[in-house]
Amino acid sequence: MNTDLLSREAESISLLLSLLTEEDFYIRYYTLQLLTALLTNLPNRLQEAILTIPRGITRLMDMLMDREVIRNEALLLLTYLTREAEEIQKILVFEGAFEKIFSIIKEEGGSEGGVVVQDCLELLNNLLRNNASNQILLRETMGFDPLISILKLRGSTYSFTQQKTINLLSALETINLLLMGGPEAESAKDANRLLTNKTVLVQKKVLDHLLMLGVESQWAPVAVRCAALQCIGDLIAGYPKNLDALASKVLGEEPHVEPALNSILRIILRTSSVQEFIAADYVFKCFCEKNSDGQTMLASTLIPQPHSMTHAPLEEDVNMSFGSMLLRGLTLNENDGDLETCCRAASVLSYILKNNIQCKERVLRIELEAPMPSLGAPEPLMHRMVKYMALASSMKSKDGKSSPTGNLYVQPIILKLLVTWLADCPNAVYCFLDSRPHLTYLLELVSNPSATVCIRGLTAVLLGECALYNNSSESGKDAFAIVDSISQKVGLTSYFLKFDEMQKSFLFSSAKPAQPRKALTRSNAASMAEIEDVEENDSSNQNEDHPILISTFDAQFVNLVKKLELDIRENIIEVYSQPKSKVAVVPAELEQKSGESDGDYIKRLKSFVEKQCSEIQDLLGRNANLAEDLAKTGGGSISQPEQRASGASERVQVETLRRDLQEASQRLEMLKTEKAKIESEASMYQNLAGKMESDLQSLSDAYNSLEQANYHLEKEVKALRSGGATSSPDIEAIKAEAREEAQKESEAELNDLLVCLGQEQSKVEKLSARLLELGEDVDKLLEGIGDDMGLPEDSEDEED
């Protein structure tokens, strides 16, 4: 309230700014503090006021060149002033803000400096956030070298104080702002700016510094490692040159060097921090997105190690190829009762396979040795993944209790891998169905009440893919057999309900494109710098909003599942609208066998025909039930066998009829509204007619009283005459005159009333005609009105 009173007058702010030119140190100091307090309470009004004052911002900028205490206060003030104020941001840049900010950072010691460096970087980030012109000015005037130099680790590399951590996080946030577009960016123009920023940053070797912070410096705080990995992902996303640069990077020193991607994979497989796993996983997601060459390169290294190598110490994975390390991660901890590593490796594998048929086919051919070679032939990698998914639900932790991790995100991530793998890949479907228990397991899981909504939904998608991308003609493995199994074991109504439940769940309804990260400010810096290593079985994260699940169900995967759902619904209708088998009956069964009598031949044909009729009746009944099920779930209608050829046209007709029905119902609602309006008007006019009648009655009473008064006057006149009174004024003339005036007034009022009644009568006639059009009984509506209100007897004749 005090701020509002003080800042209401623009002259107050102008007066305060003029005090900044005073020579006295304390006047300038307290003025800056006062302005900062005003900005904290009413930022918008102060920003507008300072913009309107001539040289107001220039005076504030001059304070950055003042002595240290004044400079630090001015930094805080400018930080508040530039939040969400694009015009002020541009003016500050033209006043030389970039040069002054980097000069102060250098003077204070870069990332090793104190809170002043943090304030400088926060001000820098305010100037660059969602401000394309300022980003271009920074790139083309000072360049990115001063910024990148802040990321260089110097001096005591292993020492990370909280302030140093916050300074590095602020510098990494600046890099992120240069790599990510604004929320309302102009697509083409903004894309060009981001592309140029990425190009220049990579040319300035920013990738080396990010890899040092995020991958090589394992002594760095988790928050810094996560932010650096996020920046690496943003730097390579959608930019082939940067993808190649990362793929060719090697870390370490001779002779112990290895590709950077191998080191990032090791972080994924070994880290104890959920946040670090998500950040490293994001790098592979960005690397594989629309990068078929990169996917193929990674898939080409997927070569199983001999059984003896799978039990080698973890440290030996330094000498492994990327693919061997990944496969080892997929099969590492099954005997320890921990599928965490397998689940993380499955996430990376899903990125390698996404939208890449060649990689899917290649990985299908990978076979893993059985745990004991004597147990049998090697099994395909896909079969091992299904086995682990089943194992996750029954996994016990070391204390003997059911492990919540299994149902929490191990199963969803493996399901995501299988859904991605089977999409548009008939050979993957064939491999999946090659083991009969797989289908049985999915049918049980989709109806399992203890499974989460998303697990049941993804299982339903996986079952649908087994029918959608099925080109097998083997009995029991073809699309018809899959759909028939779903219908028999689950029921189509229940099956389609799993899709609807999943789409309404938190993970699917909240999935949105990646949002800009929360701005780092003085108030939240400490909390953001201290990301703890989240234990995997931490009870506080056993909900649907677990960070791993949120990162797994990103917008791209959610859109894929929605598209698959539509295709699966249509495919199931199509499967049931086609004959079960297009192969003709074997002629040998219809031909007479040698040595068979005519009677036996006829009997055999008769039994064959009876069997066919029975099967046909059974199929017709089942199709009728399916049509009813699909109608209930809104999945469309299944064509009967005799209408198979016209299934598509029937759906069009149904849509047309539905639209017509909707229009008719809207028209009916309009007519109902109009009818109600007319009825209310009729009621109003009835009330008006009653009022007119009462007015007429009162007028009639007044006329009668006049007549009575006139009679008394005449009587008095006669009495006076008979009394022999003296000659009086012409009483008769006065009386006639009074009677004439009264009669004129009465006639005038009667004429007005008759005109009103005539108008009302025409309105009633129009309303009666409209009511007759709408099918209402007018006589019923008006029944008893004349009797109650005392209308003249001929009113009914007039209405007729």
Side-chain angles (χ1 to χ4, degrees):
M1 189 187 297
N2 292 341
T3 303
D4 181 58
L5 290 171
L6 180 58
S7 63
R8 193 171 289 171
E9 299 296 331
E11 290 77 11
S12 305
I13 310 301
S14 180
L15 175 62
L16 286 172
L17 287 174
S18 68
L19 293 176
L20 294 175
T21 57
E22 292 288 328
E23 290 186 8
D24 189 279
F25 164 80
Y26 287 104
I27 291 177
R28 300 199 304 278
Y29 178 70
Y30 291 129
T31 301
L32 285 171
Q33 285 196 325
L34 178 55
L35 284 168
T36 304
L38 292 172
L39 269 167
T40 309
N41 297 331
L42 278 177
N44 292 338
R45 182 183 293 179
L46 264 292
Q47 286 166 350
E48 290 169 9
I50 291 172
L51 265 176
T52 58
I53 296 168
R55 297 194 75 254
I57 293 176
T58 306
R59 286 179 195 170
L60 294 175
M61 284 294 293
D62 290 342
M63 295 297 101
L64 291 179
M65 307 306 292
D66 209 317
R67 67 172 79 177
E68 190 174 315
V69 178
I70 298 284
R71 180 200 70 187
N72 295 346
E73 285 298 324
L75 269 175
L76 279 178
L77 172 63
L78 291 171
T79 301
Y80 285 109
L81 185 65
T82 50
R83 284 180 187 166
E84 298 177 5
E86 192 174 346
E87 289 301 316
I88 294 176
Q89 293 166 5
K90 290 179 180 177
I91 294 171
L92 278 178
V93 169
F94 280 112
E95 292 282 347
F98 287 145
E99 291 83 353
K100 290 175 182 175
I101 287 171
F102 285 117
S103 171
I104 296 170
I105 291 174
K106 187 176 180 181
E107 186 182 327
E108 291 291 322
S111 62
E112 303 284 343
V115 72
V116 176
V117 174
Q118 178 188 345
D119 292 337
C120 284
L121 287 169
E122 188 178 342
L123 174 58
L124 175 66
N125 292 341
N126 285 352
L127 297 176
L128 297 178
R129 187 176 288 108
N130 301 331
N131 197 320
S133 60
N134 281 0
Q135 291 188 16
I136 294 169
L137 274 171
L138 173 63
R139 187 180 70 224
E140 294 181 353
T141 54
M142 296 198 68
F144 295 148
D145 287 319
L147 172 62
I148 294 172
S149 68
I150 300 170
L151 298 176
K152 288 180 181 175
L153 295 177
R154 35 174 104 71
S156 52
T157 309
Y158 296 89
S159 170
F160 279 85
T161 61
Q162 186 185 50
Q163 189 58 56
K164 181 177 177 180
T165 300
I166 293 171
N167 292 345
L168 285 170
L169 286 175
S170 300
L172 289 168
E173 184 186 358
T174 312
I175 299 287
N176 176 257
L177 291 173
L178 295 171
L179 299 174
M180 301 296 287
E184 298 173 2
E186 301 171 28
S187 54
K189 191 174 177 182
D190 200 52
N192 289 334
R193 171 179 61 83
L194 296 177
L195 203 61
T196 310
N197 286 351
K198 289 180 181 183
T199 305
V200 174
L201 283 167
V202 170
Q203 287 172 353
K204 299 293 182 182
K205 308 293 184 187
V206 76
L207 196 53
D208 293 336
H209 300 298
L210 293 174
L211 286 168
M212 172 59 77
L213 284 172
V215 183
E216 292 186 271
S217 301
Q218 287 305 298
W219 56 87
V222 176
V224 173
R225 300 204 302 266
C226 291
L229 287 167
Q230 286 270 3
C231 285
I232 292 171
D234 296 334
L235 190 66
I236 64 175
Y239 192 14
K241 285 187 178 179
N242 291 0
L243 288 168
D244 296 339
L246 178 63
S248 60
K249 284 288 178 187
V250 290
L251 304 179
E253 297 178 1
E254 292 289 349
H256 305 293
V257 295
E258 70 170 348
L261 290 174
N262 289 31
S263 301
I264 297 171
L265 177 63
R266 187 178 295 104
I267 291 172
I268 288 176
L269 299 178
R270 289 196 196 174
T271 182
S272 60
S273 165
V274 169
Q275 298 293 342
E276 191 173 13
F277 157 64
I278 292 170
D281 189 67
Y282 177 69
V283 175
F284 279 104
K285 177 184 171 184
C286 295
F287 182 81
C288 294
E289 189 66 32
K290 297 179 181 176
N291 180 20
S292 57
D293 292 341
Q295 290 172 307
T296 306
M297 182 266 291
L298 294 178
S300 66
T301 64
L302 287 164
I303 302 167
Q305 293 292 303
H307 186 67
S308 57
M309 279 294 291
T310 58
H311 295 288
L314 285 175
E315 290 71 22
E316 289 197 15
D317 61 10
V318 176
N319 303 317
M320 289 184 179
S321 67
F322 175 90
S324 299
M325 198 193 309
L326 184 63
L327 286 173
R328 176 175 170 153
L330 286 167
T331 58
L332 184 63
N333 289 333
E334 58 172 302
N335 297 323
D336 300 334
D338 177 18
L339 293 173
E340 175 68 25
T341 308
C342 164
C343 148
R344 294 178 174 193
S347 179
V348 176
L349 184 58
S350 67
Y351 299 135
I352 295 172
L353 301 183
K354 184 181 177 184
N355 298 331
N356 194 316
I357 298 295
Q358 289 78 16
C359 288
K360 292 178 184 180
E361 301 276 1
R362 185 182 193 112
V363 179
L364 272 180
R365 295 192 290 271
I366 294 175
E367 291 187 335
L368 304 172
E369 284 190 16
M372 295 291 291
S374 58
L375 291 179
E379 64 177 330
L381 176 63
M382 179 183 281
H383 290 199
R384 186 72 66 90
M385 290 296 96
V386 181
K387 172 186 165 187
Y388 289 166
M389 184 173 70
L391 196 61
S393 57
S394 59
M395 189 66 69
K396 302 287 183 184
S397 59
K398 292 175 183 176
D399 57 3
K401 296 178 182 177
S402 292
S403 170
T405 307
N407 282 328
L408 186 61
Y409 57 81
V410 171
Q411 280 188 315
I413 287 182
I414 296 178
L415 277 167
K416 178 186 177 181
L417 167 64
L418 293 173
V419 166
T420 306
W421 203 340
L422 266 59
D424 205 23
C425 186
N427 288 341
V429 173
Y430 182 82
C431 177
F432 182 84
L433 296 174
D434 196 37
S435 176
R436 294 195 69 83
H438 289 177
L439 183 60
T440 308
Y441 170 65
L442 290 187
L443 290 169
E444 289 174 359
L445 186 59
V446 79
S447 303
N448 187 351
S450 64
T452 65
V453 169
C454 284
I455 287 176
R456 293 199 298 267
L458 289 178
T459 307
V461 172
L462 200 56
L463 277 168
E465 285 182 316
C466 289
L468 181 61
Y469 300 113
N470 192 318
N471 60 6
S472 174
S473 57
E474 289 184 39
S475 176
K477 293 184 183 178
D478 59 349
F480 188 92
I482 303 300
V483 178
D484 196 42
S485 299
I486 295 172
S487 172
Q488 293 295 311
K489 300 286 177 62
V490 183
L492 287 185
T493 305
S494 176
Y495 174 72
F496 286 128
L497 197 60
K498 301 298 183 288
F499 287 115
D500 299 333
E501 289 172 353
M502 179 172 62
Q503 298 295 357
K504 292 174 186 173
S505 68
F506 169 80
L507 288 170
F508 272 70
S509 58
S510 66
K512 297 177 181 67
Q515 297 294 315
R517 287 197 285 276
K518 189 177 177 182
L520 195 71
T521 62
R522 265 200 180 193
S523 57
N524 65 14
S527 61
M528 290 178 72
E530 294 177 354
I531 296 177
E532 296 296 330
D533 290 357
V534 181
E535 290 295 329
E536 306 307 339
N537 57 359
D538 185 0
S539 59
S540 65
N541 279 321
Q542 301 308 315
N543 303 316
E544 247 192 357
D545 58 350
H546 191 285
I548 289 182
L549 284 179
I550 292 173
S551 69
T552 300
F553 288 82
D554 56 12
Q556 294 167 336
F557 182 65
V558 168
N559 291 334
L560 169 68
V561 170
K562 287 180 179 177
K563 178 180 177 298
L564 282 171
E565 180 194 344
L566 295 175
D567 293 343
I568 287 166
R569 286 183 187 270
E570 290 180 9
N571 176 257
I572 288 178
I573 296 169
E574 188 180 341
V575 166
Y576 268 108
S577 65
Q578 298 296 328
K580 180 176 179 182
S581 175
K582 296 181 181 179
V583 181
V585 179
V586 181
E589 293 189 27
L590 299 178
E591 291 179 0
Q592 189 171 5
K593 296 177 181 177
S594 59
E596 186 179 27
S597 65
D598 290 344
D600 292 338
Y601 178 49
I602 290 168
K603 280 181 184 177
R604 190 164 61 79
L605 284 180
K606 185 179 177 184
S607 66
F608 179 79
V609 170
E610 284 175 353
K611 183 183 174 186
Q612 291 289 315
C613 285
S614 172
E615 286 184 3
I616 289 170
Q617 288 299 323
D618 181 49
L619 285 174
L620 285 174
R622 189 177 296 173
N623 276 359
N625 291 334
L626 289 169
E628 187 179 346
D629 279 349
L630 284 177
K632 284 178 185 174
T633 56
S637 58
I638 302 175
S639 303
Q640 293 298 322
E642 63 271 12
Q643 296 170 326
R644 287 168 188 148
S646 59
S649 63
E650 281 181 1
R651 283 200 291 275
V652 173
Q653 288 174 5
V654 167
E655 279 300 318
T656 308
L657 288 171
R658 188 181 290 124
R659 204 179 304 114
D660 292 344
L661 179 62
Q662 192 175 3
E663 290 175 1
S665 63
Q666 287 175 352
R667 176 68 178 156
L668 183 61
E669 285 298 321
M670 286 172 60
L671 288 173
K672 281 182 181 177
T673 308
E674 197 172 347
K675 176 188 167 189
K677 186 180 175 184
I678 289 170
E679 284 180 352
S680 68
E681 285 182 0
S683 174
M684 183 183 72
Y685 288 130
Q686 280 179 334
N687 294 337
L688 197 58
K691 186 172 179 295
M692 293 289 185
E693 283 186 57
S694 66
D695 289 347
L696 183 61
Q697 184 67 38
S698 62
L699 194 60
S700 174
D701 292 341
Y703 186 82
N704 287 337
S705 65
L706 281 173
E707 283 286 344
Q708 201 168 3
N710 190 33
Y711 173 74
H712 287 306
L713 285 171
E714 283 181 351
K715 221 171 158 188
E716 286 175 8
V717 168
K718 282 180 183 177
L720 286 169
R721 280 180 180 169
S722 61
T726 55
S727 62
S728 58
D730 191 353
I731 301 280
E732 286 295 331
I734 292 169
K735 190 167 71 171
E737 189 178 346
R739 186 184 294 116
E740 189 178 348
E741 283 181 7
Q743 194 170 1
K744 278 181 183 177
E745 284 180 10
S746 299
E747 282 176 0
E749 286 183 7
L750 278 170
N751 285 337
D752 291 341
L753 187 59
L754 288 171
V755 168
C756 288
L757 281 173
Q759 289 174 350
E760 297 308 317
Q761 182 64 33
S762 66
K763 288 181 181 179
V764 169
E765 284 173 359
K766 285 183 181 178
L767 288 169
S768 300
R770 183 61 179 152
L771 286 169
L772 283 170
E773 285 178 10
L774 294 169
E776 292 291 336
D777 191 340
V778 180
D779 293 334
K780 247 183 213 177
L781 281 172
L782 300 177
E783 189 173 343
I785 292 172
D787 298 336
D788 294 341
M789 306 305 293
L791 285 169
E793 291 179 352
D794 60 342
S795 64
E796 289 184 12
D797 299 335
E798 289 175 6
E799 285 182 10
D800 292 342

